[in-house]
Amino acid sequence: MSFKAALRQHMAAEEAGSVGRAAACLCVLCGLPAAGKSTLAREVLSAAAQRGWRAGVVPYDDLIPEHAFHTRVMEADGAIPNSHTEWKLHREAVLRCVEQFLEKPQVAAELPDSCQINGSAWEQCIHTLRQPEASGSSPADQAPLLFLLDDNFYYPSMRYEVHQLAKKYSLGFCQVYLQCDLESCISRNQTRSEPIPTEVILEMVKRLESPNPQKNSWETNSISLNTTDDLSKCDIQRVMELISCALSNPLSPAEDNTKQKEVDRLTCATSVVHQTDQACRRHISEAMKTARENQVRPEHMRSLAAQLNDSKAAFLHNLRRRLFKEASFAQEEDLDVERVVKRAVDVFDHEKTEILLRVIHENK
């Protein structure tokens, strides 16, 4: 790195408030409910303490009010059109708390009344970060800082928000995807004192997009653990090595460039098309079920299936072309992927309904 480049990087870090701060890392733990994220977090906390690190878990399930999760599930069925916004605001509030701690570790997070998270759960999260139980020799304020973000993070856009925060403050960033078979997740969930509905897990399987470094360059620092069986010492060692690497190689705000923006834009557009495709398939299945309930004859059922699939193919083709063409998608951090998907699916649902009604009418 040239002197000028090093100077620019130093100035960018200074603007983000990272000069003089101990090394820090945001580690995303993602996967299906009951895949073992909380268990892994406890193991990592123990290993981090042995290394003299300050570490804390950011448990989204505990921080976000229960009603926000209920409305999220209902919104997926189209019951509450504005609930997505509320749920997203709560998620943003969690990251805002992390950011406030990074800026002023000794100051309690100030949350807006309109979007409150569980304050006691947050205080519990940062308690060990303020008063480390580390056994290392480094001064407390210089001990490496580790945030373990425990959530499903089933969309890349959710994980990208964490990446952007790490980049803003020149922090380390890494991801651990816990891959566990569906049957095991459902079985484990049923043994919990407060299990989530099985249909929520089934729905999340359809939506889950695991880290893909080949498609998303910002997900390069990621590993996958098979957690169908118990975690091994080797698994914990791999995670600790990943985090150590992230701590030693923090992101830099100065790394942003035109090529990376283009990659991010394409990644974002691809995610929108993928999620829209999955949703359209579900709408087609619902339409076919409705047709059967209306006793549509076999020949008309075949015609309905063909028309719906042709309509979906044409719709996705036009959507893909529009997304990759529009310059507004170059600023990926300003794009609300889920909102764009919802609008697109609403348009296709209208087309689906017209085709379905026409075929039912022809069947009479």
Side-chain angles (χ1 to χ4, degrees):
M1 178 183 295
S2 67
F3 173 76
K4 290 184 178 180
L7 180 59
R8 285 195 300 268
Q9 181 171 331
H10 176 83
M11 293 176 65
E14 187 174 35
E15 290 178 359
S18 62
V19 173
R21 183 189 294 129
C25 175
L26 302 183
C27 178
V28 170
L29 306 181
C30 56
L32 292 174
K37 297 183 293 296
S38 298
T39 300
L40 174 62
R42 287 193 294 271
E43 294 288 343
V44 172
L45 285 180
S46 176
Q50 293 176 13
R51 296 190 178 206
W53 299 352
R54 293 176 294 159
V57 180
V58 182
Y60 278 60
D61 285 353
D62 295 337
L63 293 169
I64 298 178
E66 186 177 358
H67 69 83
F69 290 99
H70 284 301
T71 54
R72 177 192 65 180
V73 174
M74 296 174 70
E75 187 270 348
D77 295 327
I80 303 180
N82 295 324
S83 62
H84 160 71
T85 300
E86 180 185 0
W87 178 58
K88 181 177 175 63
L89 287 174
H90 280 91
R91 295 184 62 85
E92 291 174 349
V94 173
L95 288 184
R96 192 157 61 248
C97 285
V98 174
E99 183 170 9
Q100 288 183 6
F101 181 87
L102 291 169
E103 293 179 344
K104 300 178 181 179
Q106 301 303 326
V107 178
E110 298 178 0
L111 301 174
D113 294 336
S114 60
C115 185
Q116 191 66 266
I117 67 172
N118 189 321
S120 61
W122 174 248
E123 284 299 323
Q124 183 178 355
C125 166
I126 62 177
H127 176 71
T128 54
L129 300 179
R130 288 175 174 165
Q131 298 176 349
E133 299 175 359
S135 59
S137 57
S138 300
D141 60 350
Q142 292 300 314
L145 178 65
L146 171 63
F147 278 101
L148 298 169
L149 286 80
D150 179 356
D151 188 39
N152 305 121
F153 288 107
Y154 48 87
Y155 288 147
S157 57
M158 297 174 175
R159 304 190 294 269
Y160 188 74
E161 291 174 348
V162 182
H163 174 272
Q164 289 296 87
L165 179 60
K167 190 171 185 178
K168 178 180 179 180
Y169 289 91
S170 297
L171 311 178
F173 173 79
C174 59
Q175 301 181 134
V176 181
Y177 171 55
L178 285 75
Q179 186 175 8
C180 182
D181 66 69
L182 178 60
E183 292 74 16
S184 296
C185 288
I186 293 176
S187 176
R188 293 174 185 173
N189 175 64
Q190 292 173 344
T191 64
R192 291 177 166 179
S193 58
E194 296 182 3
I196 65 174
T198 299
E199 54 267 25
V200 173
I201 299 180
L202 295 175
E203 180 64 26
M204 198 168 294
V205 170
K206 301 175 185 177
R207 301 187 178 202
L208 178 63
E209 296 182 55
S210 60
N212 188 343
Q214 286 72 39
K215 186 171 69 172
N216 306 326
S217 60
W218 55 271
E219 294 194 293
T220 300
N221 206 21
S222 305
I223 62 172
S224 176
L225 298 180
N226 189 325
T227 56
T228 300
D229 298 321
D230 293 337
L231 289 168
S232 65
K233 291 183 179 180
C234 181
D235 291 330
I236 305 303
Q237 182 178 353
R238 286 184 63 200
V239 175
M240 297 307 293
E241 290 175 352
L242 175 74
I243 296 172
S244 295
C245 180
L247 284 168
S248 301
N249 298 277
L251 303 179
S252 170
E255 291 175 358
D256 197 10
N257 53 54
T258 302
K259 183 177 180 180
Q260 182 60 47
K261 286 184 178 180
E262 176 67 12
V263 171
D264 292 340
R265 182 182 70 84
L266 296 177
T267 297
C268 194
T270 300
S271 180
V272 168
V273 174
H274 171 76
Q275 294 175 37
T276 303
D277 181 33
Q278 297 299 310
C280 289
R281 290 174 185 269
R282 292 193 292 272
H283 279 275
I284 289 177
S285 296
E286 294 170 0
M288 298 300 293
K289 179 181 178 182
T290 301
R292 286 192 293 271
E293 292 173 349
N294 283 269
Q295 299 181 342
V296 173
R297 291 189 293 274
E299 61 272 20
H300 286 157
M301 290 291 291
R302 289 191 292 271
S303 174
L304 174 62
Q307 290 183 57
L308 289 174
N309 284 318
D310 288 346
S311 176
K312 178 174 74 72
F315 178 77
L316 292 177
H317 174 76
N318 291 332
L319 176 65
R320 186 181 295 107
R321 183 175 59 183
R322 180 178 177 182
L323 291 179
F324 284 103
K325 181 178 179 181
E326 288 186 356
S328 60
F329 280 80
Q331 298 294 331
E332 205 235 351
E333 61 270 21
D334 296 331
L335 175 64
D336 188 334
V337 174
E338 294 175 72
R339 188 178 296 278
V340 173
V341 170
K342 187 178 185 304
R343 287 203 297 262
V345 173
D346 286 343
V347 173
F348 177 77
D349 183 58
H350 179 72
E351 294 182 9
K352 175 213 72 178
T353 302
E354 289 186 345
I355 294 173
L356 175 62
L357 293 177
R358 183 170 62 248
V359 170
I360 291 177
H361 178 73
E362 293 173 351
N363 184 70
K364 295 181 180 179

